[in-house]
Amino acid sequence: AEPAIVPVQSNASKLAVSVSAMASGSHAGSHQGEEQAPSFEPPKWTASNPKAKVTLSTAEEAVNASPECGYVTIGRSASCTYVPLGNTEAAQEAGISRLHAAVVHHTDGRVYVIDLHSAKGTTIDGKKIDKYKPTSLKHGAKLVLGQHGSTPGVSFRVSIEGGGSGAADDSPSKKRAREDEPATVRASHLLVKHNGSRRPSSW
């Protein structure tokens, strides 16, 4: 059975409030000529020393998304763990927000991506995810940040080894399960039919 992610969903609203408050403070500071760098407060369920090894691969590079702190932030701000395309100008042209998204490891081994109210959004396998809502990442998924209209965005291929349900080899196949089932069959009743007789009373 799929483990419940109530802890994830219950923290999503708190996460939204905290990040929104930070964003408001950033805009307020910019009016005074002292723009503050955006920051991210990880949820309480974030795992330190995560179980899964996550790699986000582009055509040019592979990004380790499994640091000891249990999360990485992606955006064009220098305060982010990873700035796509190597510099803020290129990232901005690709549709990346200053603090665009975070990849967070859960204590149960699963991996989530959170869109941090980016301007042009985040998609997983072509489906846009809700802002501030932790969304499960699976092995082999296509994660795209910033793609909207003519804006190209940045595309990642997700690789997950170990960890929880998102891993590539976390569960046996149905074929293997069938092979492991007992080959014997038990019967509690035996019906004997007389050859040539069609009357049930004579069986």
Side-chain angles (χ1 to χ4, degrees), residues 94-106:
I96 304 299
S97 294
R98 296 179 67 220
L99 182 59
H100 196 108
V103 174
V104 187
H105 292 255
H106 197 289

Side-chain angles (χ1 to χ4, degrees), residues 52-81:
K53 180 182 178 182
V54 180
T55 304
L56 305 179
S57 300
T58 67
E60 294 79 21
E61 60 182 336
V63 181
N64 174 23
S66 301
E68 291 185 2
C69 64
Y71 70 93
V72 296
T73 53
I74 304 172
R76 68 174 193 266
S77 171
S79 64
C80 291
T81 311

Side-chain angles (χ1 to χ4, degrees), residues 3 21 29 33 66 73 88 149 158-159 183 185:
S66 301
T73 53
T88 57
V158 180
S159 172
V185 178

